[in-house]
């Protein structure tokens, strides 16, 4: 009997297939220096790159050859652009027609509202990605110190790799110390921040701001994204500035302190670091867990429950406190279905994170904060770690790999994949229960 695949299921299997191709390529003898990589090392790295997470079990700069690093860079670009966007671009080049089913897949892959205008979105995604990464690479070529000392081609690859990694929020680096060696070059940090920030906004917002130039009449979605992202960035950077003023920020000029404080909050979606994470104070580590959990915005390269989700939940709670049934923002009522989805995504994400943290703590002899940080970082496709990734057992690394994959395809896509839709016309009697 023919089975009709749902869009969510096709996306899951599509990303699984690309991940396995990347795994096979990274297992080739010429992909790594010395002994060939094991299946788990290759699979973990390929999934981390495809899901633009950045967690690693082997050093990217010393373990992988240029071929292996190229595979990682391509996987990062595929994960950031989206599998269906790349597929559609190839079909465009071949002159083939994009069917309705493929448009549905693109809309779900890019977290778009509907199939209307989805082909225009594909063109916008490709154009914006090339322009932003290109500008970022040019600025890096000028600002990264000693980038050309090993020759033109190694320098060019170094720049291209980090431009792709930054804009797609992957956090992979070729220094072995993230951005820590460049701490005294605030201009370079500003370039990385700009790339990470733009990548976290989502292509719908970027399309409205830069291609359509609808600054005075942007959509409710874009306004909510910009407000929530701005408030999170302001709060997180101010908190870090005050808390770490005489610790990690000591010895820096006022301008460097401000830039680094902003960087710590912006990197919540990317995974780059300017100082070793274990030097962070415990309160900021906990705050970063919360910021990573929120993550980036819908349709962006980042994970997390998304900025619009937390914004919608807070607005819904505020409406309930005020005794209102409708959730209203800027004279626009947010659809009840969107509010329900926001609560659903958050609750499911919390359940997955809680169960995963409990499971790893039961099996591994590791502290709670480090495990929770690792799990949230994987689920939100961030890539920050307190240094326990390589210490995990094979089971722990497999679980983290699965969490990265779930974070990339999204909680709702996972639910659609695992559940069967029920079209029920029967309605039952309503009865109240006590809440609170």
């Amino acid at each position: 009997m023919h089975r009709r695949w749902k869009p969510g299921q096709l996306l899951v299997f599509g990303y699984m297939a690309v991940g396995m191709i990347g795994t096979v390529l990274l297992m080739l003898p010429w992909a790594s220096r010395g002994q060939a990589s094991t299946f788990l090392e290759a699979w973990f790295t390929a999934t981390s790159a495809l899901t633009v997470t950045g967690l690693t079990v082997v050093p990217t700069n010393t373990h992988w050859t240029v071929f292996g690093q190229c595979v990682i860079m391509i996987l990062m670009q595929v994960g950031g652009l989206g599998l269906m966007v790349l597929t559609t671009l190839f079909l465009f080049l071949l002159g083939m027609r994009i069917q309705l089913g493929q448009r549905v897949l693109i809309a779900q892959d890019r977290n778009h509202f509907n199939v209307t205008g989805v082909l225009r979105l594909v063109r916008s995604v490709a154009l914006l990605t090339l322009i932003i990464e290109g500008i970022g690479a040019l600025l890096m070529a000028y600002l990264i110190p000693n980038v050309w000392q090993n020759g033109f081609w190694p320098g060019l690859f170094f720049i291209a790799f980090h431009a792709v990694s930054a804009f797609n929020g992957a956090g992979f680096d070729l220094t072995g110390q993230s951005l820590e060696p460049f701490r005294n070059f605030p201009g370079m940090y500003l370039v990385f921040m700009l790339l990470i920030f733009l990548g976290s906004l989502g292509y719908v917002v970027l399309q409205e701001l830069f291609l359509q130039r609808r600054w005075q009449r942007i959509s409710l979605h874009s306004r909510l994204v910009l407000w929530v992202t701005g408030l999170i960035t302001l709060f997180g950077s101010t908190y870090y500035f005050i808390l770490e003023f005489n610790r990690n920020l000591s010895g820096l000029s006022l301008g460097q302190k401000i830039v680094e404080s902003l960087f710590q909050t912006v990197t919540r979606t990317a995974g780059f670091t300017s100082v070793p994470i274990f030097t962070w104070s415990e309160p900021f580590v906990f705050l970063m867990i919360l910021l990573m959990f929120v993550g980036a915005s819908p349709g962006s390269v980042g994970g997390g429950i998304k900025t619009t989700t937390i914004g919608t939940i807070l607005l819904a709670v505020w409406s309930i406190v005020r005794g209102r049934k409708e959730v209203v923002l800027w004279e626009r009522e947010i659809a009840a279905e969107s509010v329900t989805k926001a609560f659903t995504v958050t609750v499911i994400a919390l359940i997955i994170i809680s169960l995963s943290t409990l499971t790893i703590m039961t099996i591994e002899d590791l502290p709670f904060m480090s495990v929770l940080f690792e799990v949230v970082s994987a689920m939100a496709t961030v890539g920050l770690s307190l240094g326990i990734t390589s210490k995990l057992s094979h089971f722990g690394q497999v679980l983290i790999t699965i969490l990265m994959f779930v974070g990339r395809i999204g909680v709702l896509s996972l639910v659609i994949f695992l559940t069967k839709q029920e079209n029920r016309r029967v309605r039952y009697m309503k009865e109240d229960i006590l809440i609170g």
Side-chain angles (χ1 to χ4, degrees):
M1 183 177 177
H2 177 69
R3 179 179 178 179
R4 187 174 181 180
W5 296 93
K6 290 182 284 188
Q9 294 172 329
L10 290 173
L11 280 177
V12 170
F13 284 118
Y15 278 106
M16 288 175 62
V18 174
M20 290 309 300
I21 293 172
T23 301
V24 172
L25 291 175
L26 291 178
M27 288 179 66
L28 295 174
W30 52 84
S32 56
R33 296 182 171 95
Q35 190 175 2
S37 301
T38 65
F39 172 79
L40 185 56
E41 289 173 344
W43 183 48
F44 190 101
T45 304
T47 304
S48 182
L50 182 63
T51 59
V52 291
T53 302
L55 290 173
T56 58
V57 290
V58 292
T60 307
N61 62 323
T62 57
H63 181 83
W64 305 107
T65 62
V66 174
F67 173 81
Q69 292 166 358
C70 284
V71 172
I72 292 173
M73 183 171 68
I74 292 171
L75 289 172
M76 288 191 296
Q77 193 69 281
V78 172
L81 280 172
L83 179 60
M84 293 312 303
V85 169
L86 284 174
T87 303
T88 304
L89 287 175
F90 280 121
L91 292 177
F92 270 140
L93 294 175
L94 294 174
M96 299 178 65
R97 183 182 177 187
I98 310 302
Q99 303 295 329
L100 179 61
Q102 293 167 313
R103 301 186 188 209
V104 173
L105 283 172
I106 298 168
Q108 184 156 348
D109 189 22
R110 285 263 55 98
N111 224 341
H112 196 48
F113 297 108
N114 48 56
V115 296
T116 304
V118 76
L119 297 183
R120 193 184 314 115
L121 178 66
V122 168
R123 290 191 290 267
S124 301
V125 167
L127 180 63
L128 286 167
T129 298
L130 292 175
I131 292 175
I132 294 174
E133 289 180 353
I135 294 175
L138 288 174
L139 293 174
M140 286 182 188
Y142 177 74
L143 293 171
I144 295 180
N146 303 320
V147 69
W148 306 109
Q149 65 180 357
N150 295 323
F152 176 76
W153 292 112
L156 183 63
F157 179 73
F158 186 90
I159 291 169
F161 186 95
H162 287 91
V164 171
S165 183
F167 179 68
N168 291 297
F172 279 89
D173 66 88
L174 298 179
T175 67
Q177 297 176 285
S178 194
L179 302 184
E180 295 168 25
F182 311 119
R183 196 183 185 197
N184 294 321
F185 299 89
M188 194 205 66
Y189 275 84
L190 289 172
V191 174
F192 272 83
M193 275 195 292
L194 181 63
L195 289 173
I196 296 168
F197 180 77
L198 291 175
S200 69
L201 290 179
Y203 287 105
V204 173
V205 179
L206 295 178
Q207 186 181 22
E208 290 189 13
L209 292 178
F210 298 117
L211 296 183
Q212 300 174 355
R213 299 180 182 179
R214 296 166 50 183
W215 301 311
Q216 299 298 327
R217 49 188 182 89
I218 60 175
S219 64
L220 178 64
H221 166 82
S222 296
R223 277 187 284 175
L224 184 58
V225 165
L226 293 172
W227 269 98
V228 175
T229 303
L231 290 174
I232 288 175
T233 304
L234 179 63
F235 175 77
S237 57
T238 303
Y239 188 87
Y240 185 86
F241 183 84
I242 295 172
L243 198 66
E244 303 286 342
F245 190 87
N246 293 319
R247 298 178 73 255
N248 277 329
L249 295 177
S250 63
L252 300 178
S253 66
L254 180 60
Q256 286 178 306
K257 288 179 179 180
I258 293 174
V259 170
E260 185 161 315
S261 298
L262 286 168
F263 178 80
Q264 303 302 341
T265 306
V266 171
T267 196
R268 77 186 190 279
T269 64
F272 289 104
T273 58
S274 60
V275 293
I277 296 180
F278 60 81
T279 64
W280 289 352
S281 60
E282 194 171 43
F284 186 73
V285 170
F286 181 69
L287 176 62
M288 183 58 74
I289 290 174
L290 299 178
L291 296 180
M292 290 191 301
F293 179 71
V294 174
S297 302
S300 71
V301 297
I305 63 170
K306 303 297 189 295
T307 53
T308 52
T309 300
I310 193 66
T312 301
I313 289 176
L314 293 176
L315 289 169
V317 171
W318 179 241
S319 296
I320 293 172
V321 170
R322 298 173 66 189
R324 294 183 177 180
K325 294 184 178 180
E326 301 83 11
V327 179
V328 179
L329 178 65
W330 293 308
E331 300 181 349
R332 294 289 187 274
E333 182 179 339
I334 298 177
E337 183 181 357
S338 297
V339 177
T340 303
K341 281 183 178 180
F343 279 100
T344 302
V345 166
T346 304
V347 170
I348 294 176
L350 286 172
I351 292 173
I352 294 174
I353 288 171
S354 300
L355 292 177
S356 300
T357 303
L358 182 62
T359 302
I360 293 178
M361 287 185 64
T362 302
I363 296 173
E364 317 279 351
D365 185 20
L366 294 169
F368 165 72
M369 190 66 79
S370 298
V371 174
L372 179 62
F373 193 95
E374 190 87 6
V375 168
V376 174
S377 179
M379 182 74 177
T381 68
V382 177
L384 294 173
S385 174
L386 288 171
I388 69 169
T389 310
S390 58
K391 298 177 182 178
L392 295 172
S393 64
H394 290 340
F395 176 83
Q397 291 179 4
V398 169
L399 182 55
I400 291 297
T401 306
I402 294 172
L403 287 173
M404 291 190 293
F405 189 79
V406 171
R408 175 59 186 87
I409 63 174
V411 173
L412 281 180
S413 294
L414 176 67
V415 172
I416 293 172
F417 174 73
L418 295 176
T419 59
K420 182 179 180 181
Q421 284 188 327
E422 181 181 358
N423 297 320
R424 179 171 55 86
R425 296 183 179 180
V426 179
R427 303 297 294 269
Y428 298 103
M429 293 179 59
K430 296 180 180 179
E431 185 173 347
D432 290 333
I433 58 174
L434 297 177
I435 301 294

